Amino acid sequence: MSKAVLMCPPEHFDIEYEINPWMHVDDPVCRELARSQWQGLYQLYTQTLGWDVHLIDPIEHLPDMVFTANGGLVIRDRVALPRFRQPERQGETEFFEQWFRRRGYRTLCLPRHDFEGEGDALLWNDTLFAGYPWRSDKPAHRELAEFFGLEVVSLQLTDARFYHLDTALTIVDEQTVALYPDAFTAEGLEAVHRRVPRVIEAAEADAVGYGLNAVSDGRHIVLSDRARGLAATYREMGLQVHPMPISEFQKSGGGMKCLTLELRDNGA
Ligand SMILES: NC(=[NH2+])NCCC[C@H](N)C(=O)O
């Protein structure tokens, strides 16, 4: 299934501040390696998978703009813009807004509560799983439910290492979700199990290797090359697995899903 996604070249990507437990200003990224890892992903999407990749211009002094999954949540012709919790990222919103408007999106909303885009809101069929409280506020979920007219299931994240929902949960296909159970409350797990026929539970090593920060089109799944257990499970399911190196972005608390925003219907 072809996908349309938005990416941002890592020209200004760096660790300039610390806003999650993975980031350490004294553990800098190798710019060259980051560029080649990003390029590898871009090439895989465009050449191997035939996905339609749109690009937004990177902006100086916004090093985390490369993580486009936080740039909004796009469902059909509607866009919920991000209200970033940390001042360091708040400057990104206007550039994402500009990009969406230029692409012809007309129905945009900026939630009144903190909300960090698809990083904290993953669509599974007609259900939106939404994470809180590290970077998005639970009351934002009600705003999303109204704006998109969808059922929103709030999932509380309990482990600071998995501070965005997309670090702990993958939408694999229409029947399947993968997650790291220890990052959720019992109530949250129950809410997922009640709805999703097949729930894959990832081991800690795979979760810490950023294996759940993966992008799937239902036939192909792109994930961190450190997530061997999940890769084996997906192969057994008959999926085409594409393990990719992502070390430099993980130093910032991000993986391939964070670098990839779903546009779904390819423009308004
Ligand atoms: N969708 C994601 N999980 N994005 C990762 C964002 C990483 C970025 N350094 C931050 O802390 O904001």
Side-chain angles (χ1 to χ4, degrees), residues 54-156:
H54 298 262
L55 295 175
I56 183 170
D57 288 335
I59 304 290
E60 219 182 332
H61 305 304
L62 293 175
D64 277 340
M65 204 172 151
V66 70
F67 299 114
T68 51
N70 300 122
L73 172 67
V74 186
I75 301 176
R76 295 181 295 272
D77 60 342
R78 294 185 163 233
V79 183
L81 293 167
R83 186 181 286 283
F84 286 97
R85 176 149 298 171
Q86 269 81 13
E88 291 88 340
R89 293 199 67 181
Q90 286 167 358
E92 296 177 31
T93 301
E94 65 172 283
F95 295 103
F96 282 108
E97 175 170 4
Q98 258 171 35
W99 189 89
F100 287 118
R101 290 200 187 278
R102 280 196 198 128
R103 278 282 304 160
Y105 288 93
R106 293 277 165 269
T107 316
L108 280 67
C109 89
L110 177 62
R112 280 176 291 113
H113 299 90
D114 289 350
F115 169 61
E116 296 204 350
E118 194 167 64
D120 258 336
L122 296 168
L123 186 65
W124 177 76
N125 299 321
D126 287 330
T127 300
L128 191 62
F129 289 114
Y132 75 101
W134 305 106
R135 302 292 282 273
S136 297
D137 289 327
K138 195 177 177 190
H141 299 173
R142 200 167 334 118
E143 297 183 68
L144 297 174
E146 270 166 35
F147 179 63
F148 290 114
L150 287 171
E151 181 199 27
V152 178
V153 178
S154 297
L155 300 176
Q156 185 180 350

Side-chain angles (χ1 to χ4, degrees), residues 19-20 23 64 67 69-70 89 119 135 163-164 166-167 252-253 258:
I19 57 171
N20 69 54
M23 300 175 88
D64 277 340
F67 299 114
N70 300 122
R89 293 199 67 181
R135 302 292 282 273
Y163 59 95
H164 277 138
D166 70 358
T167 63
S252 184
C258 309

